[in-house]
């Protein structure tokens, strides 16, 4: 594989995650990617240039994290899996930024632009308590983004397709730190309730949030 500008790789207790600030056009990425026949067919069916970039960048980043070629497929709920591997994978992308997390345990990751306006949709994904907490925070806009990002990560963590962000995912109050930090939450779609540990960091105008079960984070 040719030189690949991975921007950041972070080792975490249960795996690792990679961040790629994507500037390369799809044709350049295609020149360094080793396609399987299945991947070639899937790629050729993509018409949108940005989607082509993301398709290739995700797989190149995964190869970088694992140190070898690996294929991605999707289960019946459209959640990604690493083919023939026990490792878990979670994927997110936002405005030229691609993040991939690989883990030995169930995990979820999301990235969002911190200037995205979520004010109008906040009542749809925040409980009344969470809504009050974000509105009363020093920076309501950023607080809403972090809550949204955390709930997206928790949704990706979950194995259940029908998750109500407002009621099934609860985020405990926390203070935002400009250098990143941790907070907690829970996923209560099905008994028993899953207690989640979240970690976040800022990357340019974006925030990355990932989650695992609290017991995993303690190890």
């Amino acid at each position: 594989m040719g030189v690949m500008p991975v921007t950041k790789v972070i080792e975490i207790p249960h795996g690792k995650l990679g961040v790629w600030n994507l500037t390369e056009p799809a044709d350049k990425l295609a020149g360094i990617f080793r396609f399987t026949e299945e991947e070639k067919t899937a790629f050729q069916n993509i018409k949108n240039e940005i989607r082509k970039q993301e398709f290739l960048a995700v797989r190149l980043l995964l190869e970088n994290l694992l140190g070898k070629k690996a294929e991605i497929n999707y289960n019946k709920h459209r959640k990604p899996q690493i083919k023939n591997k026990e490792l878990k994978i979670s994927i997110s992308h936002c405005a030229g930024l691609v993040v991939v997390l690989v883990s030995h345990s169930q995990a979820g990751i999301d990235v969002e632009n911190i200037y995205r306006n979520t004010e109008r949709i906040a009542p749809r994904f925040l409980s009344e308590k969470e809504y009050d907490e974000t509105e009363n925070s020093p920076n309501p806009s950023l607080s809403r983004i972090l809550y949204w990002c955390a709930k997206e990560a928790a949704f990706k963590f979950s194995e259940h397709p029908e998750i109500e962000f407002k009621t099934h995912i609860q985020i405990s109050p926390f203070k935002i730190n400009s250098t990143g930090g941790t907070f907690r939450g829970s996923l209560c779609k099905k008994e028993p309730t899953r207690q989640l540990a979240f970690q976040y960091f800022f990357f340019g105008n974006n925030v990355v949030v990932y989650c695992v079960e609290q017991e995993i984070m303690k190890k």
Side-chain angles (χ1 to χ4, degrees):
M1 185 174 68
V3 176
M4 179 183 151
V6 174
T7 308
K8 192 170 189 176
V9 174
I10 301 174
E11 298 282 347
I12 48 183
H14 42 85
K16 62 173 68 173
L17 67 89
V19 181
W20 188 353
N21 192 9
L22 186 58
T23 58
E24 299 79 5
D27 57 353
K28 183 176 180 180
L29 298 177
I32 62 174
F33 184 64
R34 297 174 296 162
F35 289 92
T36 64
E37 287 302 315
E38 188 176 347
E39 288 169 333
K40 185 181 295 185
T41 299
F43 179 71
Q44 290 172 343
N45 287 332
I46 302 172
K47 306 305 179 185
N48 183 278
E49 173 70 14
I50 293 175
R51 294 291 174 263
K52 285 185 174 183
Q53 285 179 296
E54 292 171 348
F55 178 93
L56 294 169
V58 162
R59 287 156 178 79
L60 285 165
L61 186 48
L62 175 62
E63 184 173 345
N64 183 277
L65 292 173
L66 298 181
K68 57 185 176 182
K69 169 78 175 179
E71 293 182 60
I72 298 172
N73 55 26
Y74 290 82
N75 66 17
K76 64 181 180 180
H77 302 309
R78 297 302 300 160
K79 297 203 174 185
Q81 300 173 323
I82 303 175
K83 189 174 182 180
N84 300 324
K85 298 278 186 184
E86 293 184 2
L87 286 171
K88 310 294 185 182
I89 182 171
S90 188
I91 299 164
S92 187
H93 27 70
C94 173
L97 200 67
V98 174
V99 293
V100 173
L101 183 153
V102 291
S103 172
H104 293 283
S105 307
Q106 206 167 332
I109 195 166
D110 193 56
V111 57
E112 295 289 346
N113 187 289
I114 60 174
Y115 297 115
R116 177 182 175 183
N117 187 350
T118 58
E119 186 174 7
R120 290 180 62 186
I121 65 171
R124 301 182 203 167
F125 69 87
L126 296 174
S127 67
E128 289 185 15
K129 181 180 178 182
E130 291 169 337
Y131 186 86
D132 290 341
E133 288 161 356
T134 58
E135 287 300 300
N136 294 324
S137 71
N139 189 336
S141 177
L142 181 58
S143 184
R144 284 193 299 269
I145 284 291
L146 273 163
Y147 274 64
W148 170 259
C149 208
K151 293 199 176 199
E152 280 282 355
F155 170 73
K156 294 174 183 178
F157 168 94
S158 171
E159 296 175 337
H160 304 288
E162 298 177 358
I163 297 290
E164 292 288 341
F165 281 27
K166 187 172 183 174
T167 56
H168 294 151
I169 304 169
Q170 301 298 313
I171 305 300
S172 300
F174 65 99
K175 292 182 179 180
I176 300 174
N177 189 319
S178 61
T179 59
T182 61
F183 55 94
R184 294 189 174 190
S186 61
L187 176 65
C188 51
K189 167 67 175 176
K190 186 178 179 180
E191 294 292 340
T193 295
R194 311 285 291 273
Q195 301 299 325
L196 303 179
F198 295 85
Q199 191 141 359
Y200 68 96
F201 62 90
F202 296 96
F203 190 91
N205 291 332
N206 302 281
V207 62
V208 177
V209 179
Y210 65 90
C211 70
V212 295
E213 287 199 86
Q214 289 183 19
E215 289 302 313
I216 298 297
M217 194 68 84
K218 293 176 184 178
K219 294 180 180 179

